[in-house]
Amino acid sequence: MNKEITVVAVDGPSASGKSTVSRRVAAATKDFIYVDSGSLYRGVTWKCIREGVDVRDTQEVTNLLIRMNMELFVENRAVRYRIDGVDPGQEIRGAAVRESVAEIAAQQPVRVYIVEKLRTMAAFGSLVMEGRDIGSVVFPDTPFKYYLDADPEERARRRSAEIKVSEGTDDVGAVLNALKRRDRKDATRATSPLQIALGAKIINSTGMGIEEVVQVILDDLRAAGAIPPAEA
Ligand code: DC
């Protein structure tokens, strides 16, 4: 990692507030770039579905990874990508991708491929990267590691509010069950399971305002001289 570059790793389970917090931390600085690492796993899942690749067949998935081209670029201070020239857009947030992404994210060749992509992003500049293994695997040397958590019920409420906006349904009970299933899959998989990285600061955001969480991170960055006092 370039000495001038700062990486803020924000890990935690789904709907723990990672996206909102990470985006706001990046926005409060002058030049940090926001990265949603989960969107890359979603992108690979989207491509499998599009190509008719069985997401449970690691060999087929690996062959797809070899022949596809995931091209990264920065837009509005966020890293985005195209796969074989196509921006999947909101399709990566749809039900088909949501149901299969944990299966894809559990496969070793996929993790190797995505971790490599995520590391190359340091060439773009300082990053606020959210995910599950950013502090533990992708950038284990960064001093800025955060593990965001919230009670499952609170997370299910947040996620169902998001789904309501995109799909017109808001069954909190069903969302809670799906979320617990996915958490279990993410936490028990053999490769890079969701875990609290060594040295990570744990923040339970249940009942905590987003701004409070953002401030904890900005204060740390300021105290370490990673951002000037005037930036936030
Ligand atoms: O954060 P998200 O819901 O968009 O993540 C989608 C899936 O990818 C989810 O099953 C967890 C997985 N993921 C991962 O394994 N490692 C990451 N760094 C980010 C996401």
Side-chain angles (χ1 to χ4, degrees):
M1 208 194 306
N2 183 322
K3 283 269 181 298
E4 310 296 314
I5 297 302
T6 300
V7 174
V8 180
V10 183
D11 291 304
S14 22
S16 55
K18 299 186 303 288
S19 302
T20 315
V21 166
S22 303
R23 281 175 203 280
R24 297 222 188 157
V25 168
T29 66
K30 193 160 54 62
D31 53 4
F32 280 59
I33 297 164
Y34 165 71
V35 185
D36 170 5
S37 67
S39 76
L40 274 72
Y41 291 96
R42 287 171 182 265
V44 171
T45 310
W46 170 85
K47 185 66 174 173
C48 286
I49 295 168
R50 197 175 157 96
E51 301 268 311
V53 167
D54 179 352
V55 294
R56 290 158 306 181
D57 186 334
T58 304
Q59 190 54 59
E60 263 201 67
V61 173
T62 306
N63 292 342
L64 175 71
L65 291 173
I66 292 166
R67 67 175 186 266
M68 74 177 219
N69 174 33
M70 184 181 249
E71 167 207 350
L72 306 171
F73 61 100
V74 177
E75 193 175 81
N76 297 328
R77 275 217 275 138
V79 176
R80 300 194 41 203
Y81 61 83
R82 288 188 201 90
I83 298 180
D84 294 335
V86 181
D87 175 355
Q90 284 307 304
E91 284 178 31
I92 62 164
R93 306 283 157 203
V97 168
R98 189 164 59 239
E99 276 156 25
S100 294
V101 66
E103 185 72 47
I104 284 291
Q107 295 175 36
Q108 170 79 3
V110 176
R111 299 213 72 86
V112 170
Y113 181 89
I114 301 286
V115 167
E116 169 66 22
K117 291 275 171 204
L118 296 171
R119 288 186 180 144
T120 66
M121 292 179 189
F124 291 134
S126 290
L127 308 170
V128 183
M129 188 178 285
E130 61 150 304
R132 305 293 192 287
D133 61 342
I134 310 307
S136 56
V137 175
V138 184
F139 290 109
D141 296 334
T142 182
F144 303 105
K145 302 182 189 183
Y146 301 89
Y147 185 90
L148 253 59
D149 209 349
D151 295 347
E153 289 71 22
E154 167 102 9
R155 294 194 286 116
R157 268 194 301 278
R158 291 178 189 169
R159 187 45 58 93
S160 71
E162 282 168 25
I163 292 173
K164 186 179 183 183
V165 170
S166 63
E167 288 164 32
T169 84
D170 65 341
D171 182 345
V172 181
V175 172
L176 178 60
N177 286 333
L179 197 124
K180 282 184 172 167
R181 249 196 331 272
R182 204 147 67 103
D183 282 353
R184 206 160 31 242
K185 204 161 191 164
D186 289 336
T188 56
R189 67 179 176 223
T191 346
S192 303
L194 171 66
Q195 57 180 324
I196 303 171
L198 205 65
K201 189 176 260 187
I202 302 168
I203 307 176
N204 188 321
S205 71
T206 312
M208 206 172 158
I210 289 291
E211 283 311 321
E212 265 180 88
V213 182
V214 171
Q215 279 312 318
V216 169
I217 300 177
L218 290 176
D219 287 347
D220 279 358
L221 288 170
R222 250 186 250 115
I227 56 170
E231 272 196 49

